[in-house]
């Protein structure tokens, strides 16, 4: 994109606002500003624009006086450049938005591909790096199932056997944590209700 100051008779694509400022121009240029109905004053021997001026409206033709003023103030409100509509690369045509893809989107697509490869590998019994972790987990499940039904012993199997032998023991161990969570919830609800009651007590009525 290239910025430029003026081109007479072109259609303005944007609104042009000249901000209040000290232009640094001598008093002899006052008549030029007056011709454009721009309020000015002399400050420190230079012309100062008193307030912001809407010099050119969007869609209007740029006049010679407006273009000259923009050049004098070194203001470059207009720009021209190329707008890419489609991209051609190695026989493929795609929209520019494709290049705006984020790292998160790339990772999600990559993970989806790995999931599909792992599923296909498990279905056909062909081991790949994507399916290997799932294969190991499935094998461990089978070993654990055999250990539970036999006298084979290792820490993981012993935990499962203990649970199957007495599930209530694990329920008792988990109960205190669940009760603590319930008590905490009750306390929060109680505090909220007390606050609401205190707020209601502060109300007054002419009929009390």
């Amino acid at each position: 994109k290239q910025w430029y100051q003026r081109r007479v008779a072109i259609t303005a694509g944007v609104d042009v606002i000249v901000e209040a400022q000290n232009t640094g121009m001598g008093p002899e240029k006052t008549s030029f500003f007056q011709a454009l109905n721009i309020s000015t004053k002399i400050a420190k021997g230079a012309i100062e624009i008193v307030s912001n001026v809407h010099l050119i409206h969007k869609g209007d033709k740029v006049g010679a006086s407006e273009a000259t003023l923009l050049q004098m103030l070194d203001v470059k409100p207009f720009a021209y450049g190329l707008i890419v509509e489609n991209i051609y690369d190695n026989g493929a045509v795609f929209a520019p938005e494709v290049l705006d893809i984020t790292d998160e989107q790339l990772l999600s697509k990559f993970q989806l591909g790995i999931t599909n490869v792992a599923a296909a590998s498990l279905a056909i019994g062909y081991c790949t790096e994507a399916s290997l972790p799932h294969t190991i987990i499935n094998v461990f499940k089978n070993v654990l199932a055999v250990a539970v039904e036999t006298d084979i012993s290792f820490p993981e199997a012993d935990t499962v056997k203990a649970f199957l032998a007495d599930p209530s023991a694990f329920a008792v161990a988990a109960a205190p944590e669940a009760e603590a969570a319930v008590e905490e919830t009750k306390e929060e609800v109680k505090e909220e209700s007390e606050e609401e009651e205190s707020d209601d007590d502060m109300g007054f009525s002419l009929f009390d």
Side-chain angles (χ1 to χ4, degrees), residues 62-73:
V62 179
S65 298
E66 289 84 356
T68 302
L69 178 61
L70 293 177
Q71 184 180 24
M72 293 167 61
L73 297 175

Side-chain angles (χ1 to χ4, degrees), residues 164-201:
L164 294 176
D166 187 11
S168 60
F170 291 85
V172 171
E177 296 181 2
E179 290 178 359
V182 171
E183 289 297 330
E184 184 177 352
T185 304
K186 289 181 178 179
E187 290 179 0
E188 292 178 356
V189 173
K190 183 178 180 181
E191 290 176 359
E192 292 178 358
S193 62
E194 289 177 354
E195 290 178 0
E196 292 176 357
E197 289 177 359
S198 62
D199 291 340
D200 292 340
D201 293 339

